[in-house]
Amino acid sequence: MKRLGVIVLGAVLLLVGIALLVLPGPGLLLVLAGLVTLASEFPKLERYVDPVRDRAMKAAEDSVASPLRIALSVAAGLALVAAGVVWGLVRWLPLSGWSTGTSLILSGLFLLGLLAWSWRNVRARSATPKSHS
């Protein structure tokens, strides 16, 4: 039963991550999470984890590479939260209601959280002195 749960969770993370590669969202990070989860049950998938991890970390670094990118990402996250509130309250919008609104709000919060995580990791990495061998 546990194995089935891990497989289902990994597959869902992988599929949502693939969808988010073309939709707004942290696609590579979810693809990575899905691969890591599935690799625990299917060791042959392990060879895909490092290349995806490298690309996901590069994308995270790029997202906080300049103050303009950070500002635009924060604005996008706040816009998603605001859109979620509007979609939850305004009944004449297509697919209006709190199910759509909540998903938009959670997407915005997730984006802001990932942005903070990326900024913190990049900042910590740049503060670490590099050894000269």
Side-chain angles (χ1 to χ4, degrees):
M1 203 61 171
K2 177 187 170 207
R3 181 170 192 217
L4 180 62
V6 169
I7 292 170
V8 169
L9 175 65
V12 167
L13 287 170
L14 186 61
L15 291 173
V16 170
I18 290 170
L20 290 178
L21 290 174
V22 295
L23 299 170
L28 277 176
L29 290 173
L30 286 178
V31 168
L32 176 62
L35 280 175
V36 168
T37 304
L38 288 171
S40 69
E41 296 297 324
F42 302 102
K44 288 190 178 202
L45 292 177
E46 191 67 42
R47 67 184 172 146
Y48 299 107
V49 171
D50 285 336
V52 172
R53 179 180 288 127
D54 292 343
R55 285 187 178 169
M57 294 304 119
K58 176 75 171 114
E61 288 175 11
D62 290 347
S63 71
V64 294
S66 73
L68 179 61
R69 284 188 181 182
I70 294 170
L72 290 174
S73 296
V74 168
L78 294 174
L80 281 169
V81 171
V85 171
V86 170
W87 248 266
L89 295 173
V90 178
R91 294 289 169 215
W92 54 266
L93 290 170
L95 301 172
S96 67
W98 284 109
S99 58
T100 303
T102 301
S103 67
L104 288 169
I105 291 168
L106 290 176
S107 295
L109 294 175
F110 195 65
L111 173 65
L112 293 170
L114 283 173
L115 184 66
W117 177 84
S118 297
W119 182 76
R120 196 172 126 218
N121 279 351
V122 168
R123 192 170 147 221
R125 194 175 306 161
S126 66
T128 303
K130 295 186 167 93
S131 64
H132 299 289
S133 306

